[in-house]
Amino acid sequence: MSNLFIKDTHGFKLKPEEAKKTYDVTAVIPMKVEDLENIVVSAIEGGINYWAALDNTDPEWDNKPEGLAVSQYVLELLIAGKSVKFQDAEGSDDDSDWNLTLEKLLNGIALDLRNYQTDLLDIDSEDADRIFQYALLGEIVYG
């Protein structure tokens, strides 16, 4: 009967199927606007350019303040509860348009943290690219 159990390093006796279980843990990580801005700027100004292009033809773009960087205006729109459209950078015929919302961006961050343990204090264009792919596509498709 003892061969039905395995012993872990902490002295618990577990059945083999119990020892192999995994558990999802959800943590709340405060994100400041500055943190979101670093991700959006890194993505739009280099991280995603090889697969996605910003579509700034919607009427909201007529109100973009002069002198405000495009990436900063994207974040402003997202925080205001609006969506921002992106399209396939190569202009493929498959009608690839993606709408980014703040909720999708936050979900992209969560997926990236889960799969890559990204240091949110040190975001680079590769990190931002993954976050945007998770946010817009739900998975890593490119690169």
Side-chain angles (χ1 to χ4, degrees), residues 31-49:
M31 296 288 302
K32 295 184 242 172
V33 171
E34 176 183 319
D35 301 326
L36 296 172
E37 181 180 12
N38 288 337
I39 294 167
V40 171
V41 168
S42 295
I44 292 175
E45 294 182 7
I48 65 171
N49 294 343

Side-chain angles (χ1 to χ4, degrees), residues 27-130:
V28 175
I29 300 170
M31 296 288 302
K32 295 184 242 172
V33 171
E34 176 183 319
D35 301 326
L36 296 172
E37 181 180 12
N38 288 337
I39 294 167
V40 171
V41 168
S42 295
I44 292 175
E45 294 182 7
I48 65 171
N49 294 343
Y50 69 102
W51 65 271
L54 177 66
D55 178 353
N56 59 1
T57 60
D58 287 340
E60 277 116 12
W61 286 92
D62 295 337
N63 300 323
K64 178 187 159 299
E66 194 171 321
L68 183 65
V70 168
S71 53
Q72 289 175 320
Y73 192 60
V74 166
L75 183 59
E76 196 172 294
L77 290 171
L78 294 175
I79 290 173
K82 300 183 188 225
S83 65
V84 177
K85 192 186 306 182
F86 290 86
Q87 55 194 25
D88 186 319
E90 295 183 7
S92 71
D93 294 332
D94 66 359
D95 225 13
S96 294
D97 286 342
W98 307 286
N99 288 310
L100 180 66
T101 63
L102 182 58
E103 182 180 355
K104 285 182 178 181
L105 178 60
L106 295 174
N107 286 334
I109 293 167
L111 284 169
D112 191 65
L113 286 171
R114 179 179 183 161
N115 295 312
Y116 289 90
Q117 294 83 42
T118 299
D119 179 359
L120 294 176
L121 299 176
D122 189 26
I123 292 290
D124 62 19
S125 61
E126 186 177 315
D127 300 326
D129 176 25
R130 282 194 320 269

